Amino acid sequence: MPDTVVAPPQEEAPGVLRTISAVNDTPQPPESTEPTASISDELPEQMRVRKEKRERMLAAGIEPYPVELPRTHSLAQVRAAHSGLAADTKTGEKVAVTGRVMFIRNTGKLCFATLREGDGSELQAMLSLDAVGADALSAWKSDVDLGDHVFVSGEVITSRRGELSVFADEWAMAAKALRPLPVAHKELAEETRIRQRYVDLILRPRAGETVRKRAEVVRALRDSFHRRGFLEVETPMLQTLHGGAAARPFVTRSNAFDMDLYLRIAPELFLKRCVVGGLDKVFEINRNFRNEGSDSSHSPEFAMLEFYEAWATYDTNAVMIREVIQEAAQAVTGSHVVTLADGSEYDLSGDWTTLRMYESLSGALGEEVTWETPAEALREHVDRLDLKLDPAYGHGKLVEELWEHLVGDHLVAPTFVRDFPLETSPLTRQHRSEPGVAEKWDLYVRGFELGTGYSELVDPVIERERLEAQSRLGKSGDDEAMQLDEDFLRALEYGMPPSGGVGMGIDRLLMALTGLGIRETILFPLTRPE
RNA sequence: GGGCCGUUAGCUCAAUUGGUAGAGCUGCGGACUUUUAAUCCGUAGGUUCUGGGUUCGAGCCCCAGGCGGCCCA
């Protein structure tokens, strides 16, 4: 940076904010500045024109990217302070504002521009020949394009049509945009919205609202857990073994340790170590990575809440997650009945339905199915329903698939489905009265799986048997099977108190509360390079 | 992994049977002191995703690939 003394604002030609270039006092144009002749002919016309304007301004000693502007109010503040004014009012109050130019309406000697700020609030700027002078007005007309950030200072007034405006006595470029903004009147293609989220955020205030809602939800979750005496912890994302869920991991490499590492698929095994160590109530909100496909409800990286509580069970933690979700809904929408993107309402209030998996499946099949029903009998149902499933599936997987098809796919209201086949729940405690059943629930909201909860398996001997079985599956080619984590087993061998645990997708919670797709709730979803 | 659909100007989209690639907005030039997607006059803007092929002629047909979407597994 040039080590110049900041000069006081100078009085110069009225209207044009020369003070900006004086304050910056950059002796020469930056080294990156190219002569006009070298502006590439290959650039689209509109970019070439804007680049030429930038250089014209620099050549005239006007800074197109000033370091600081004497802004006094946000657009929202001006709006808030002057609501409900009659048309053609002069307030006498002077303000200095900045905003991105979204629309321009020039009528010769009077120019209008709609300025927009990041929070979506808008304010009109008016520049008249009388007030700013001929030079400033013609500079406005020749230098300002849609998408530029501008600075305008002047009196707060309302126009004859009643539009709240800043009636400029001077203006300045705040940041010149070189790329033309896509038209604001047509919806941007979904791919462009995702690939260039910044453009989406500029054009569609709703995009920004979604980001803010997400922040409010995460904050509400943290508040809910802190109020209940939970401790927030951060456990490893880089893991030497992958476990805690059935999923394919991403593999990465540590040069220093000269070994492969996994991006975590779940924090579960570390949070349980915390409980072993006496951190009785812990939670974590962080990212998980699963090396699987992405669609309207799956993303390779996704945010997850997990919490573990000593002395809790899958009965008590179901009540708690319901309350936590309701508190999040309250925080973000002010009600337990949320309004979704399509305008419909979704009721999260009160108690939620609970189904038992085997009972509800039996009801749907018209024939009793229990944990003792042999896989062959289940396969007959699968064939009768013409479901195409892997013939290697055993009892547990068949029950879950049948249930999803016959019951899960039809759930709309928030529903806990509980008591899963033990076989497919390797980290879950066996049901206290039914040996082949696990004390596990899944929470379905708007028809998709939002979260899952357990009475955790804490017997180190049984846990070892289960993980050894998983490890054998892994060696025989199941790349979703967990690896044998000796350190985790060692921790359990020190004694883990009876505990309940819950996992819930944050992105999916947003989907549930807003009705948006997962790629709308994630600010920058993974996409292939263009 | 399989099937289907899409990919054209800065943006959103047209283009008949294979016959000169268009519109609106944006841009550029001009007019206009109360506009609201301002209006009016004039005007520019294209590697039709890429590479092959068929044809007198390809945005369109064929083959291969890229990217995206939807459905299925």
Side-chain angles (χ1 to χ4, degrees), chain A residues 240-256:
Chain A
T240 56
L241 297 159
H242 67 272
R248 247 171 268 179
F250 285 93
V251 181
T252 185
R253 175 128 198 110
S254 163
N255 293 332

Side-chain angles (χ1 to χ4, degrees), chain A residues 272-287:
Chain A
K272 285 178 171 168
R273 287 168 166 95
C274 292
V275 179
V276 168
L279 306 176
D280 278 0
K281 297 162 107 179
V282 290
F283 77 102
E284 178 165 10
I285 295 174
N286 230 319
R287 220 78 61 84

